[in-house]
Amino acid sequence: MRGKVKLKVSGIEKSFPGVKALDSVHFEVKEGTVHALCGENGAGKSTLMKIINGIHRQDAGDIHIDGEKVAINHPQHAQQLGIAMIAQELNFVPELTVEENLFLGRLPGSSARVDWKQVRKSTIELLERENLPFKPTQLMKTLSISEIQQLEILKALSIDAQIIIMDEPTSSISNKEVETLFQKIEQLRNQGRSIIYISHKLDEIFRIADEVTILRDGTVVGSYPIEEMDEENIIRLMVGRKLDNVYPKEAVAVGQTIFEVKDFTSEGEFKGITFNVKRGEIVGFAGLVGSGRTEVMRALFGLDPHTSGSVYLKEQEININHPRDAIAAGIGMITEDRKRSGIVPVRSIKENGSLASLEKFFTGGRLQWKKEEETNRDYFEKMDVKAPSLETLIQTLSGGNQQKVILAKWMMREPDLLIMDEPTRGIDVGNKFAIYQLMQQIAREGKAILIVSSELPELLGMCDRIYVMNQGTITGELKREAFDQEVIMKYATM
Ligand SMILES: Nc1ncnc2c1ncn2[C@@H]1O[C@H](COP(=O)(O)OP(=O)(O)OP(=O)(O)O)[C@@H](O)[C@H]1O
Ligand SMILES: [Mg+2]
């Protein structure tokens, strides 16, 4: 195939308390290629990348760059070796400016006197070279996720990184932003750089990768040129079994209307939203990013205000001005932005899981710890959360496993209506299936689900009805028999 080996890792071992995260891992990345890394949630992808980026130190094994053995002890050291990483969980200080962020840890001048003139000059040069519309003095908190990524890539270029790691870069950006990112990746590859690309979206991998390495339970199953692979093969190697049917949709008896929304409006966000959900139904909201779906759901749950309209749950009108009101009425919500509003990082899996259902576990002023333990265990088995125990701190779980705990937290409460915004983001194919099964179970019990998803196949696969939104209004409604991707796209853009 292409060029010479740029990066080689061999015999890498890494253990955390109670977990062997990586076990004699070997893989090679060639110059001027995009190398995809696939594997289930908790397979060890991020851990391996953190070792290459000097965040973690391996217990054993070697890393070679351009044939030379290197010891990478620190992210700054990785930078000097030409390695840059765009992390799965983007970390940045919101109050820093663009220029401060770009030169963080390597400010020119002396520690006593930073050469800010030089910083400003270099920042402007870099921004101009890459055609980015940011100002050096703009605060980080004003940038979108996609813009922060662009800035991270700029940072990689400013240190002339030859190895650029991207850990699930497309999990929270729009389709249009994905296209921009892919063009950039193409350009980086053509400049002879090596890109390591992690994603659970297999279609992306077939679009941009030259080679793919598959990890399972901390070991490498194999590395292959992309031409030799297809989706089915990758899934089989990742999961260890064949997955025939990705969507476990069953016909469930549909009952009375359980949730009804009339003329729901929030000035400048969305207008005249009218729809209903019946018992046993899974109802989807389709539309492009920015069409207002998330805004409607957030307002329905009381996270954001609304200006007019009425909402009925079980034929009773409810006033929702705070998530408290929604929860008391019997509504649960899994938000899109789970990092900010989803977890308590320094608490255990069990504590995070129970958080939404505490009154269920408290009777007569006492915690029914056995019930709490059993309910948690039941969900974590169903969702196959990878962790040494229920007492494990949630912040030590892999990205996808943290997501699963948040999903379980709301499912455990068994609300009458569960709102799910992008529920399977960052979740691998095998585990998506488990989540769909749980959704199906909720429907079977005569409850209802509202789901927002940017993955149209997911809505087509699991929903009974789909509403389509565009520019803050509902532009169409389709029943399952009439589901049609093209019709939905037409409504989404009309
Ligand atoms: N700092 C840590 N402390 C303890 N355990 C950890 C730590 N970081 C990772 N682990 C464990 O190592 C294993 C591999 O995690 P890793 O984050 O590498 O998975 P991943 O392949 O990136 O998964 P995902 O697709 O969910 O992001 C998991 O079992 C995880 O819980
Ligand atoms: Mg990860």
Side-chain angles (χ1 to χ4, degrees), residues 433-472:
F433 186 80
I435 287 161
Y436 297 144
Q437 276 180 317
L438 284 166
M439 287 167 61
Q440 198 56 56
Q441 182 187 325
I442 292 173
R444 220 184 294 129
E445 286 164 2
K447 300 185 162 115
I449 289 178
L450 258 181
I451 169 176
V452 173
S453 173
S454 300
E455 286 185 48
L456 202 44
E458 173 167 281
L459 293 182
L460 297 171
M462 288 308 296
C463 291
D464 297 281
R465 273 188 301 139
I466 293 177
Y467 288 98
V468 189
M469 279 190 72
N470 182 25
Q471 297 185 9

Side-chain angles (χ1 to χ4, degrees), residues 45-47 88 167-168 198 398-400:
K45 305 178 294 295
S46 296
T47 302
Q88 184 169 13
D167 197 347
E168 291 190 46
I198 299 180
S398 80

Side-chain angles (χ1 to χ4, degrees), residues 25-218:
V25 164
H26 179 103
F27 95 115
E28 294 177 0
V29 180
K30 299 194 184 79
E31 218 170 67
T33 61
V34 177
H35 196 110
L37 198 55
C38 288
E40 289 185 288
N41 297 130
K45 305 178 294 295
S46 296
T47 302
L48 182 57
M49 292 306 112
K50 285 178 186 165
I51 288 172
I52 295 170
N53 199 40
I55 295 170
H56 289 321
R57 188 71 202 267
Q58 71 266 35
D59 302 334
D62 295 322
I63 302 175
H64 289 83
I65 293 176
D66 293 325
E68 241 174 78
K69 188 167 154 179
V70 291
I72 309 172
N73 300 319
H74 196 274
Q76 249 135 314
H77 191 195
Q79 273 190 4
Q80 287 154 15
L81 292 165
I83 302 168
M85 175 152 108
I86 291 132
Q88 184 169 13
E89 262 115 48
L90 288 169
N91 277 316
F92 61 93
V93 185
E95 302 298 332
L96 283 189
T97 62
V98 163
E99 61 186 4
E100 285 166 341
N101 182 278
L102 264 178
F103 288 91
L104 196 65
R106 55 191 180 95
L107 287 164
S110 67
S111 57
R113 249 188 79 89
V114 174
D115 187 350
W116 288 110
K117 258 204 178 127
Q118 184 57 41
V119 170
R120 178 69 47 88
K121 187 162 162 274
S122 308
T123 305
I124 291 172
E125 267 171 25
L126 279 166
L127 289 169
E128 274 175 5
R129 202 178 77 197
E130 288 299 312
N131 236 330
L132 293 176
F134 316 133
K135 289 197 184 66
T137 51
Q138 200 170 343
L139 290 184
M140 289 302 290
K141 66 179 176 192
T142 64
L143 303 183
S144 71
I145 290 181
S146 159
E147 289 172 333
I148 294 167
Q149 272 178 3
Q150 290 170 5
L151 208 59
E152 288 290 307
I153 294 175
L154 190 65
K155 207 187 224 174
L157 293 174
S158 76
I159 60 161
D160 196 24
Q162 294 301 312
I163 300 168
I164 302 176
I165 301 165
M166 300 188 185
D167 197 347
E168 291 190 46
T170 61
S171 65
S172 341
I173 64 176
S174 73
N175 290 342
K176 210 169 128 212
E177 292 165 338
V178 171
E179 291 310 314
T180 312
L181 176 70
F182 282 6
Q183 275 169 20
K184 191 75 215 175
I185 291 177
E186 192 90 346
Q187 192 189 344
L188 296 171
R189 169 184 30 205
N190 293 342
Q191 292 165 347
R193 302 178 208 267
S194 310
I195 289 107
I196 306 179
Y197 189 87
I198 299 180
S199 178
H200 290 293
K201 300 180 183 169
L202 296 183
D203 55 324
E204 291 182 348
I205 286 170
F206 286 97
R207 273 193 59 191
I208 58 164
D210 301 296
E211 290 182 68
V212 54
T213 290
I214 294 153
L215 272 177
R216 183 163 80 223
D217 288 336

Side-chain angles (χ1 to χ4, degrees), residues 14-17 19-22 39-50 56 88 167-168 198 200 215 386-388 392-393 395-402 404 426-428:
K14 178 72 186 175
S15 292
F16 294 110
V19 189
K20 178 129 205 190
L22 296 171
E40 289 185 288
N41 297 130
K45 305 178 294 295
S46 296
T47 302
L48 182 57
M49 292 306 112
K50 285 178 186 165
H56 289 321
Q88 184 169 13
D167 197 347
E168 291 190 46
I198 299 180
H200 290 293
L215 272 177
K386 278 211 178 73
T392 304
L393 291 191
Q395 65 183 0
T396 69
L397 297 189
S398 80
N401 281 296
Q402 294 189 12
K404 290 193 250 172
I427 306 251
D428 70 58

